[in-house]
Amino acid sequence: EMSEMSERSKQNVAHGLAWSYYVGYLKIVLPRVKKSMEEFSRANPNVLACRETWKLHILVPLSCDVYDDLEKADSNIQYLTDLSETTLTRAGTKKRVYKHSLYAIRDEDNKLWHCAVEYATPLQSLYAMSQDECAAFSREDRLEQAKLFYRTLEEILKGSKECAGTYRLIAYEESGEAETHFLSRNILWHLRQQHHEEYAVYEGNQPHNPSMTLSSTELNLQISESDLPQPLRSDCF
């Protein structure tokens, strides 16, 4: 009965998507990210100067609006190259290829910043569900599930020793006004923060606190406890 109630209220959608994304993808690729970055840096020593940015930057738009081509989303984002591939046999598929793309982000001073960046692909599923009548999934449901997806994924990754220091989650809520370079500015803010963090380590200073990014604390305030996935057994705690 509790399982049926949970399904009707769609409480397990984001929770399941976050775990599937982690187990089926991030847990496989993230431990290999730094090695790929190091290989690229040896061949291109002037591109990835800041080791603190040697991570996969994962975009989490709460609108679930995911672009297949980042260059079309923002003209200040330009594809540079792909990092080295990881090839594995998975679920019956021989030589399945996993790879990440490296981008150059142009700032307001025409300076180029480089990083590996991609969207959290499960958000495409949330968006598609909100467009499909069979899913009975409203825009409000989609927003709440996007927030829950981010919070769940953040908690999963925080507890993963294999993925420590290999990722940067970039959650954001787009403003109502059309901003041509909203996405690149968000990515640049995170890249600058990481540069400050690396500088602070060398200098013994504390990095400046984030001021324009969404944190899990802010998301906690927007999601009630009743929206969280509930256990099927009452003795789980």
Side-chain angles (χ1 to χ4, degrees):
E1 183 180 350
M2 289 186 69
S3 179
E4 289 177 1
M5 289 172 60
S6 183
E7 294 233 359
R8 283 198 298 271
S9 62
K10 306 177 184 69
Q11 290 176 345
N12 288 333
V13 174
H15 189 257
L17 284 174
W19 271 104
S20 177
Y21 184 47
Y22 168 69
V23 174
Y25 179 65
L26 294 181
K27 192 176 181 180
I28 298 168
V29 301
L30 287 182
R32 296 171 171 83
V33 165
K34 284 192 182 294
K35 182 180 178 182
S36 296
M37 292 283 195
E38 191 169 355
E39 289 173 357
F40 180 85
S41 184
R42 281 200 297 266
N44 305 270
N46 297 322
V47 177
L48 296 173
C50 177
R51 295 182 69 91
E52 192 65 32
T53 62
W54 291 11
K55 302 171 182 174
L56 181 62
H57 296 74
I58 303 171
L59 301 175
V60 186
L62 298 183
S63 66
C64 298
D65 195 3
V66 172
Y67 287 82
D68 288 326
D69 191 337
L70 280 170
E71 293 174 304
K72 291 182 180 178
D74 191 320
S75 60
N76 278 350
I77 303 174
Q78 295 296 318
Y79 168 78
L80 187 62
T81 187
D82 289 331
L83 295 175
S84 58
E85 300 176 350
T86 296
T87 305
L88 300 171
T89 296
R90 294 279 295 176
T93 301
K94 296 287 187 181
K95 298 181 180 179
R96 177 169 289 183
V97 175
Y98 298 87
K99 66 179 180 179
H100 309 292
S101 295
L102 196 66
Y103 287 87
I105 318 295
R106 189 177 303 277
D107 68 13
E108 60 278 3
D109 298 320
N110 225 29
K111 176 185 174 182
L112 294 178
W113 301 65
H114 301 90
C115 69
V117 59
E118 61 189 49
Y119 284 100
T121 51
L123 295 177
Q124 290 181 308
S125 298
L126 287 177
Y127 188 86
M129 287 177 68
S130 70
Q131 303 297 307
D132 194 318
E133 292 182 2
C134 296
F137 203 74
S138 69
R139 183 176 297 180
E140 291 74 20
D141 289 331
R142 185 181 73 199
L143 177 59
E144 290 304 306
Q145 291 300 308
K147 294 174 185 176
L148 182 54
F149 171 83
Y150 170 75
R151 285 178 53 197
T152 305
L153 182 61
E154 184 182 47
E155 287 303 311
I156 293 170
L157 288 171
K158 278 183 179 179
S160 173
K161 293 180 180 179
E162 303 100 314
C163 299
T166 63
Y167 67 92
R168 180 92 172 192
L169 294 179
I170 304 178
Y172 59 91
E173 195 162 12
E174 296 183 46
S175 61
E177 301 177 4
E179 295 185 52
T180 308
H181 301 302
F182 176 83
L183 184 56
S184 60
R185 286 195 301 105
N186 267 274
I187 298 172
L188 284 168
W189 187 89
H190 281 268
L191 292 175
R192 285 171 174 143
Q193 280 299 119
Q194 290 169 93
H195 273 259
H196 292 325
E197 287 164 11
E198 184 169 85
Y199 175 79
V201 169
Y202 287 120
E203 297 296 322
N205 299 321
Q206 292 297 320
H208 181 65
N209 288 330
S211 58
M212 62 170 283
T213 187
L214 289 175
S215 67
S216 57
T217 303
E218 290 173 304
L219 293 179
N220 275 330
L221 297 176
Q222 300 176 59
I223 306 176
S224 66
E225 289 299 318
S226 61
D227 291 327
L228 296 174
Q230 302 298 314
L232 298 183
R233 292 172 52 191
S234 59
D235 59 346
C236 288
F237 297 98

